[in-house]
Amino acid sequence: MKKFMGVMLVVLVLLSSTLFAGGSKEAENVDGAVRISYLSRYTNPEVPRHKFFLDKLDEFRALNPDIIVEDVSIAEADSYKSTLRASVAAGTTPTLFICSDAFPHLEWAESGVMSDLTPIIESPDWEGPTDPAVFESFAFESLPGIYGVPNGVVNSPVYVNTKLLQEYGLETPETWEEVFEMADVLNEADPEIIPFSLSAKTTSDLGRFFSELVVRMYGLEFRDRFVRHEIKWTDPEMIHALEVFKDMIDSGIFGEYPISFDTDYNVAQFGEGKIAMLFSATWFWDRFNSFDFADDIDCVNFPYFESNPENKDIWFATTSEGFCISAPVGSPEYEAAGKLLNFMLSKQTFEDYANEIAMGGVYPLDIDFDVSKTSNPMRTFMEGYATRSATTDIIGTYMNSSDVLNITNTELQTLFIGADVETVAENLQALYDELFQQ
């Protein structure tokens, strides 16, 4: 076994969106037992990643008969989001729950929806991540404490079917100019092949894509100026970014009607050899590793523009999704949820997942991993990410508002159904003005 150092490098994320809804499973009543509820995204035992964590939950139950865990997990993204919001509004928040950047971290921490996890993390029994940088999305200058533990570091690379490209005499594009050249060849040879697939129906994928596009065009300094509201949607630079994106949509490189494609559909289409390049978050390593042509799948960074090579080595990375506890600090439910949190995010769990399911990965803590097991998609991802010059999250996540992501992504979707660039820019700026009271 070789030691693989993974502190604050990108990780294949541990959660996924599937079309299977979660059910509830409880242990039998035990005298003096503490009852907690658990909202994760693992529900389908047919998916290796899900089965791994479902088995982990059963293992925890067997080791802790005095803790009754009601599993209320939901895999489908929109149902999960609406259910969690409804439970918070009703005061019935699950004891241990997944919280992404779609929710107001600071607001929920201030209101007590998310309890301070510092006592758990600083406990001598803690076996999970400890690097302070890991907790940036769950720690706030205005409020002492740590209010969530990231379940991973999410990346959004591009998966490439090199076998398909080679059939048509093509190499993997590195720039957007080369992507368009590739698309011309593929569209002429077989119009059913999607050159570069974007899951526009999945708003999180759409938001990451547009953020990466803007950063490739203008860099991180521009991103920061936009976050400070020094750049508006109606300014020439953002109008141009929207025009470039609209041109991509109209050119057909995303396929016909990409607004109807969600992430699960596109991953399945990629597995059937119908997509040349797929933009997706690192949630599906088990599926990519299981494809018949896995040895021909390369995982590369988002394409850059020939006019802006200085931005080519910026990679997407975020730690804004993680587990939180709603029970009051010191309560029996808090202590029980802390034990489950520690178990699910322990070094041993990460190591088991890396060796048994993901066949690789880079994690937010040091793990022991047999490098010889690394699959080609995972290996090319880790090699590429190691060359990064900087990282970026979705631009909206830097604005400290849970509403900004939904507002932005929903409006961007209208570009796929005929909205013009100027109208989208004006609508977004008006929404931002209202949201941030400019």
Side-chain angles (χ1 to χ4, degrees):
M1 300 285 285
K2 298 182 180 179
K3 187 76 169 179
F4 198 90
M5 302 298 290
V7 176
M8 278 317 295
L9 299 180
V10 149
V11 60
L12 63 147
V13 78
L14 306 180
L15 306 178
S16 94
S17 297
T18 71
L19 297 178
F20 295 86
S24 147
K25 180 179 180 181
E26 298 181 28
E28 295 181 359
N29 288 329
V30 178
D31 290 341
V34 178
R35 182 183 296 272
I36 63 174
S37 52
Y38 167 71
L39 175 62
S40 76
R41 305 288 299 284
Y42 321 117
T43 64
N44 180 17
E46 298 300 317
V47 176
R49 175 179 54 261
H50 288 221
K51 185 178 187 305
F52 177 85
F53 288 101
L54 288 168
D55 288 347
K56 280 290 180 182
L57 180 58
D58 286 340
E59 182 181 347
F60 177 84
R61 285 171 168 148
L63 292 171
N64 298 272
D66 59 334
I67 300 176
I68 298 175
V69 182
E70 181 187 5
D71 185 3
V72 295
S73 298
I74 300 173
E76 201 279 318
D78 289 337
S79 295
Y80 142 74
K81 292 175 184 177
S82 60
T83 299
L84 181 54
R85 290 191 183 100
S87 71
V88 170
T92 57
T93 311
T95 319
L96 180 64
F97 63 97
I98 286 290
C99 184
S100 69
D101 55 11
F103 305 99
H105 290 184
L106 176 57
E107 178 184 327
W108 283 5
E110 290 176 332
S111 63
V113 173
M114 292 162 24
S115 293
D116 182 9
L117 303 183
T118 304
I120 296 171
I121 297 167
E122 293 184 350
S123 165
D125 297 326
W126 178 247
E127 300 177 20
T130 57
D131 188 326
V134 168
F135 306 114
E136 286 182 348
S137 292
F138 296 95
F140 317 100
E141 291 184 3
S142 60
L143 188 68
I146 297 171
Y147 294 85
V149 180
N151 57 292
V153 184
V154 186
N155 188 258
S156 278
V158 177
Y159 301 88
V160 185
N161 185 339
T162 62
K163 181 180 179 180
L164 177 63
L165 292 183
Q166 289 168 5
E167 289 177 4
Y168 295 96
L170 297 167
E171 296 183 355
T172 300
E174 295 184 7
T175 67
W176 278 109
E177 289 80 3
E178 292 170 347
V179 169
F180 279 100
E181 293 174 2
M182 172 202 70
D184 288 340
V185 173
L186 293 179
N187 286 335
E188 183 175 350
D190 186 350
E192 293 188 1
I193 296 175
I194 299 176
F196 192 107
S197 194
L198 165 65
S199 307
K201 185 178 180 180
T202 303
T203 55
S204 56
D205 279 12
L206 176 58
R208 283 192 301 271
F209 183 96
F210 190 76
S211 286
E212 291 226 45
L213 187 70
V214 170
V215 167
R216 289 303 178 284
M217 293 178 68
Y218 303 124
L220 298 181
E221 183 179 351
F222 179 90
R223 176 203 67 186
D224 295 341
R225 292 178 60 207
F226 183 82
V227 169
R228 295 193 299 267
H229 308 293
E230 296 171 6
I231 301 290
K232 296 182 179 294
W233 281 99
T234 49
D235 285 348
E237 297 96 328
M238 291 302 292
I239 291 288
H240 181 51
L242 289 168
E243 289 173 341
V244 170
F245 188 39
K246 180 64 172 175
D247 287 344
M248 291 178 174
I249 297 170
D250 294 343
S251 74
I253 66 168
F254 300 140
E256 193 173 7
Y257 306 120
I259 192 64
S260 67
F261 301 158
D262 64 16
T263 305
D264 282 285
Y265 175 82
N266 273 347
V267 171
Q269 291 293 100
F270 185 85
E272 294 178 11
K274 298 178 180 180
I275 294 173
M277 302 179 73
L278 172 63
F279 175 81
S280 183
T282 46
W283 293 340
F284 302 99
W285 291 115
D286 56 335
R287 298 196 205 177
F288 290 115
N289 292 339
S290 68
F291 291 152
D292 292 339
F293 60 100
D295 289 342
D296 298 306
I297 299 174
D298 283 353
C299 188
V300 301
N301 198 13
F302 194 86
Y304 65 96
F305 292 91
E306 291 178 357
S307 58
N308 302 99
E310 68 276 10
N311 300 324
K312 70 183 184 69
D313 293 323
I314 301 171
W315 282 70
F316 178 89
T318 179
T319 58
S320 58
E321 180 172 279
F323 278 104
C324 304
I325 293 176
S326 64
V329 175
S331 67
E333 292 78 13
Y334 178 89
E335 299 299 331
K339 289 186 70 173
L340 180 54
L341 175 69
N342 191 16
F343 186 82
M344 299 301 277
L345 297 183
S346 70
K347 175 180 177 179
Q348 186 63 58
T349 296
F350 280 121
E351 288 179 350
D352 291 345
Y353 188 84
N355 285 284
E356 298 172 17
I357 304 298
M359 309 305 290
V362 189
Y363 297 80
L365 71 173
D366 294 349
I367 66 168
D368 292 319
F369 171 68
D370 187 351
V371 178
S372 67
K373 292 184 177 181
T374 306
S375 65
N376 192 68
M378 183 68 74
R379 179 184 57 79
T380 51
F381 162 69
M382 291 191 295
E383 290 175 349
Y385 187 73
T387 67
R388 69 197 181 284
S389 60
T391 60
T392 186
D393 201 337
I394 298 174
I395 294 175
T397 61
Y398 299 101
M399 294 183 170
N400 296 319
S401 169
S402 62
D403 295 326
V404 71
L405 298 181
N406 182 60
I407 286 172
T408 304
N409 299 342
T410 301
E411 189 65 33
L412 288 174
Q413 282 184 319
T414 65
L415 289 170
F416 291 85
I417 55 175
D420 63 86
V421 165
E422 289 75 15
T423 298
V424 169
E426 291 171 1
N427 289 345
L428 279 169
Q429 190 55 50
L431 290 166
Y432 273 46
D433 288 344
E434 179 179 357
L435 181 61
F436 298 104
Q437 298 181 352
Q438 298 184 71

